[in-house]
């Protein structure tokens, strides 16, 4: 659910805004010594955090939200209060959840900037491992905050009457939200797989390289010459020190942790292609490893064959021989969408709807002019792992921009009403917890006027 127009910060996707700004704030911390704005429990907010978060809020709201230093500090204090009590309450977040969020974040930034290298440069990190480490720290805190909020509000619900009263209150104040144009889309994916002979060629080549290195050849040189990893020119195949908690694919970690020092793995397959891994050194719980990645080539005739197969599927749908959902079940080769009618989940909201103007530009261009029930043209796509495929998009539903209506937008208004009620519960919780939590404001912020009694420890 994307935020509607508002004058407050409450509906500007606070955790994601804080998450984005955190990356820039880290770089600021590395380049200068900051003053401490506030200490909450064992958490601190630095002066540079406040300015960075302010800028990020203003950019993400397209200038519609401006906020003072004191207001920004209060928002940050609220997040740190939640994070502190999540630890006190023994809230647990799994490493798999953290890794998943880290990967989705990297995918998001890569889409925004065009490549991982540009993301690393934009936020001032040394390499992708450095970025992953910081993303992990930020996302762990975000998950703690989310789970603490869930714990506080787990019994909260709204009745239809409460939704009606909430809607009427907005209407009476002429504050009904504008619901943006949205689409619900599904896809059929047909993948172009490499021939068995090509897979065999890659495996034989990796086995040959393995034998050459075992006989004294340089692994680094072989990686530079042969590896399809785009970062090989910079790192010579080195992946640095990885741990079992590092966000690498399962197959890679299993291979790395099965080796003795100086040993090279047998060729193995991951979603990225085929690898061999060299264990350089065991470092405590970590493994210092290098790898060579080779991706099988897909012949042009195989791509042509896959496209023709997609055209036949579309023809069957248009002739009424199959519904789109039936075609997905029969033909689609995308594991994530095959079992839910092809529906694409919005990775940033986890809902099935996309706000039209906030879609990735390439996807927007393909479906923006389509109506409900239309099919897109068949188009070629490939993943960062090197998978090649043809897709067709089906517009399952589409709504135009409009002022909220209680009947048509009941589910959304129910979500808004529930969010408001939960927000009120968190506010009540915060007021109580402030009184029992160590809070120390820096001198520059003692003159701020806050909505809550954050100054209680300075009285």
């Amino acid at each position: 659910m994307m935020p509607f127009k508002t004058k407050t910060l409450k509906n500007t996707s606070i955790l994601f805004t804080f998450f984005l700004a955190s990356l820039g704030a880290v770089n600021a911390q590395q380049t200068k010594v900051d003053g401490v704005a506030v200490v909450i429990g064992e958490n601190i907010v630095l002066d540079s955090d406040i300015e960075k978060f302010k800028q990020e809020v203003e950019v993400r709201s397209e200038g519609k939200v401006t906020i003072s230093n004191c207001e920004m500090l209060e928002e940050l204090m609220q997040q740190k209060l939640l994070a502190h009590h999540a630890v006190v309450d023994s809230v647990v977040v799994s490493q798999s959840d953290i890794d998943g969020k880290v990967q989705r974040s990297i995918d998001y930034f890569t889409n925004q900037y065009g490549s991982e290298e540009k993301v690393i440069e934009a936020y001032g990190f040394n390499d992708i491992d450095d970025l992953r480490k910081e993303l992990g720290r930020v996302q762990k805190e975000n998950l703690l905050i989310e789970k603490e909020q869930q714990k506080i509000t787990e019994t909260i619900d709204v009745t239809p009457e409460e939704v009606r009263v909430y809607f009427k209150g907005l209407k009476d104040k002429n504050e009904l939200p504008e619901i943006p144009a949205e689409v619900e889309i599904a896809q059929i994916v047909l993948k172009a797989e490499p021939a068995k002979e090509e897979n065999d060629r890659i495996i034989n080549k990796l086995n040959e390289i393995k034998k050459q290195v075992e006989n004294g050849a340089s692994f680094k040189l072989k990686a530079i010459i042969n590896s399809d990893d785009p970062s090989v020119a910079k790192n010579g195949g080195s992946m640095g020190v990885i741990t079992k908690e590092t966000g690498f694919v399962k197959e890679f970690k299993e291979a790395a942790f099965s080796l003795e020092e100086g040993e090279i793995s047998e060729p193995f397959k991951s979603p990225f292609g085929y690898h061999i891994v060299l264990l350089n050194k065991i470092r405590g719980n970590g493994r210092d490893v290098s790898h060579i990645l080779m991706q099988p080539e897909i012949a042009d005739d195989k791509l042509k064959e896959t496209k023709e197969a997609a055209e036949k599927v579309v023809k069957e749908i248009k002739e009424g021989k199959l519904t789109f959902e039936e075609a997905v079940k029969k033909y689609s080769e995308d594991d994530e969408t095959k079992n839910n009618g092809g529906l694409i989940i919005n990775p940033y909201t986890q809902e099935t709807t996309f706000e039209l103007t906030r879609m990735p530009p390439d996807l927007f261009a393909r479906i923006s002019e389509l109506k409900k029930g239309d099919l897109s043209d068949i188009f070629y796509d490939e993943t960062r792992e090197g998978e090649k495929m043809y897709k067709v998009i089906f517009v399952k539903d589409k709504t135009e921009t409009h002022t909220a209506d209680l009947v048509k937008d009941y589910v959304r208004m129910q979500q808004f009403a529930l969010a408001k009620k939960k927000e009120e519960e968190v506010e009540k919780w915060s007021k109580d917890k402030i009184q029992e939590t160590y809070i120390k404001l820096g001198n520059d912020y003692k003159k701020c006027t806050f909505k809550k009694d954050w100054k209680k420890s300075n009285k």
Side-chain angles (χ1 to χ4, degrees), residues 206 251-253 255-256 265-270 273-277:
L206 287 170
E251 297 88 346
F252 193 95
K253 287 189 285 190
S265 73
E266 298 295 327
F268 65 92
K269 187 179 181 183
S270 83
Y274 289 91
H275 312 248
I276 53 174
V277 172

Side-chain angles (χ1 to χ4, degrees), residues 107-150:
D107 291 343
Y108 172 83
F109 291 131
T110 301
N111 183 62
Q112 294 289 309
Y113 286 91
S115 70
E116 287 184 357
E117 288 72 20
K118 290 180 180 178
V119 175
I120 292 165
E121 182 180 352
Y123 286 102
F125 289 93
N126 297 321
D127 52 37
I128 191 64
D129 291 335
D130 195 21
L131 174 60
R132 281 185 182 277
K133 182 178 179 181
E134 184 53 34
L135 286 173
R137 183 194 67 79
V138 174
Q139 289 290 20
K140 180 178 180 180
E141 181 170 272
N142 282 350
L143 280 166
L144 285 170
I145 292 168
E146 288 175 7
K147 290 202 170 189
E148 184 70 4
Q149 287 177 319
Q150 290 167 7

Side-chain angles (χ1 to χ4, degrees), residues 58 124 158 179 345:
E58 289 169 10
V158 288
I179 307 298
I345 303 300

Side-chain angles (χ1 to χ4, degrees), residues 35 48 127 152 158 163 187 190 225 239 262 292 317 335 341-342 348 369 402 450:
S48 64
D127 52 37
I152 296 164
V158 288
V163 177
Q187 66 179 358
L190 297 184
I225 294 171
M239 305 302 288
I292 294 173
I317 295 170
D335 293 337
Y348 312 118
E369 300 301 320
H402 62 282
F450 298 121

Side-chain angles (χ1 to χ4, degrees), residues 220-288:
K220 180 177 180 180
L221 183 58
K222 292 294 182 182
I224 292 171
I225 294 171
N226 296 283
S227 185
D228 291 324
D229 184 337
S231 63
V232 70
K234 287 185 178 180
N235 61 27
S238 172
M239 305 302 288
V241 177
I242 71 169
T243 66
K244 290 184 177 180
E245 290 74 36
T246 309
F248 283 77
V249 293
K250 179 182 73 171
E251 297 88 346
F252 193 95
K253 287 189 285 190
E254 286 178 350
F257 279 85
S258 69
L259 301 172
E260 300 292 334
E261 284 190 8
E263 187 180 3
I264 303 173
S265 73
E266 298 295 327
F268 65 92
K269 187 179 181 183
S270 83
F272 293 88
Y274 289 91
H275 312 248
I276 53 174
V277 172
L278 166 65
L279 177 57
N280 298 307
K281 195 166 185 61
I282 296 174
R283 299 187 184 278
N285 293 327
R287 299 293 186 272
D288 184 341

